Amino acid sequence: MTNAFEDFLFDDGVNQNWHMQLSERVALMHVLGRVKSEVSLEIGTFQCGSLRPIAAASKRVITFDIDENQHRISPLFPNVKFVTGDSAQTLPPIIEALNSGDEEVNFILVDGSHEEDGVRRDLIECIKYVPKRRPTVILAHDSANPAVRAGITSVPWVGCPYVHAINLDFVPGMLYDRADINGQIWGGLAAILMLPEPRKSEIDISATFEPSRRALLEKSVYN
Ligand SMILES: C[S@@+](CC[C@H](N)C(=O)[O-])C[C@H]1O[C@@H](n2cnc3c(N)ncnc32)[C@H](O)[C@@H]1O
């Protein structure tokens, strides 16, 4: 279901079955417009919601999902390779192949496992990619959720010389009062900027939502 405002904001067909807040969709579209991605990676295909804009803005996409049923509309996406299986196993060989090839990865969405270990593992794998000529932007969804945030913040970021900036709250999340997730905190996009040259100073880290997030935690089911 979309509304008139969303219909105005997005091109036909782009805004369907997309499991993100409107602010996250707009932010993701802006990043895609900036990076002009050659190859994009998406961990967490689900119903191809975020895949639609990623595929429309990228030359080629590789999307990963553990559940083969999430690939049932794959014929609609001629420039997308659908990979089925746990990203713990399926992502590493693809990162390795991309590192040894000439194609550039300019955009990655991490939205697969929402367990702390799974998020950390996916991100650690993503930053093994070495940017070649242009920047790579990684967006990690649900960065306000306690498990996801713990996964993101426990990545040994300083060990990767190509990570220059991290904005944990590029888009903030929220405390939900929806029946199925009442009292839970979800949403938010963390943004990680990788550049082709090694950084010469500390990583620029920002987490502007943190005081609000702590206040929300007091009211949440995690308290
Ligand atoms: C929140 S949904 C993705 C939503 C989608 N990015 C969107 O915005 O429209 C998360 C997806 O990740 C998949 N997933 C969960 N754990 C995974 C894993 N370990 N490896 C690959 N995919 C996984 C789930 O099957 C599910 O389809």
Side-chain angles (χ1 to χ4, degrees):
M1 268 293 264
T2 61
N3 61 30
F5 188 50
E6 293 185 30
D7 289 345
F8 165 73
L9 285 176
F10 300 102
D11 287 342
D12 278 354
V14 165
N15 189 32
Q16 289 177 30
N17 298 327
W18 191 349
H19 285 250
M20 289 191 188
Q21 302 169 52
L22 184 56
S23 52
E24 295 164 350
R25 298 173 196 204
V26 172
L28 187 144
M29 295 285 288
H30 181 79
V31 170
L32 286 171
R34 294 291 289 178
V35 294
K36 299 184 177 30
S37 189
E38 187 171 9
V39 178
S40 294
L41 307 181
E42 179 192 55
I43 306 162
T45 316
F46 198 43
Q47 295 168 347
C48 303
S50 47
L51 179 61
R52 290 170 191 274
I54 296 170
S58 311
K59 215 162 153 190
R60 185 164 97 81
V61 184
I62 306 171
T63 186
F64 302 79
D65 206 294
I66 200 165
D67 180 354
E68 64 186 15
N69 293 321
Q70 311 301 12
H71 296 169
R72 59 191 176 276
I73 57 170
S74 56
L76 292 180
F77 300 94
N79 65 337
V80 178
K81 179 182 163 92
F82 289 79
V83 178
T84 305
D86 187 342
S87 58
Q89 274 87 49
T90 55
L91 184 58
I94 287 181
I95 294 285
E96 204 181 315
L98 288 163
N99 269 336
S100 53
D102 193 46
E103 284 179 305
E104 286 198 285
V105 178
N106 304 110
F107 179 78
I108 305 177
L109 175 65
V110 175
D111 194 17
S113 166
H114 285 61
E115 305 288 324
E116 178 179 343
D117 286 354
V119 172
R120 178 171 49 245
R121 185 199 59 222
D122 283 342
L123 285 167
I124 287 175
E125 204 51 49
C126 288
I127 60 173
K128 288 184 187 164
Y129 171 74
V130 178
K132 294 177 178 129
R133 296 170 290 277
R134 292 196 295 118
T136 304
V137 174
I138 303 173
L139 296 182
H141 191 222
D142 290 316
S143 52
N145 175 265
V148 174
R149 201 167 183 96
I152 298 171
T153 53
S154 62
V155 170
W157 296 107
V158 287
C160 176
Y162 304 101
V163 171
H164 286 245
I166 300 172
N167 187 336
L168 285 176
D169 302 308
F170 175 55
V171 179
M174 61 174 143
L175 179 68
Y176 275 83
D177 65 355
R178 213 173 74 192
D180 54 335
I181 50 173
N182 191 25
Q184 298 179 24
I185 300 172
W186 289 102
L189 281 175
I192 296 103
L193 176 68
M194 296 176 79
L195 298 177
E197 58 279 350
R199 65 173 186 277
K200 296 193 173 69
S201 51
E202 287 182 3
I203 300 176
D204 171 7
I205 300 180
S206 137
T208 47
F209 178 61
E210 191 52 26
S212 312
R213 201 185 70 90
R214 286 186 188 283
L216 291 189
L217 276 171
E218 302 275 312
K219 311 246 177 218
S220 74
V221 293
Y222 313 105
N223 187 18

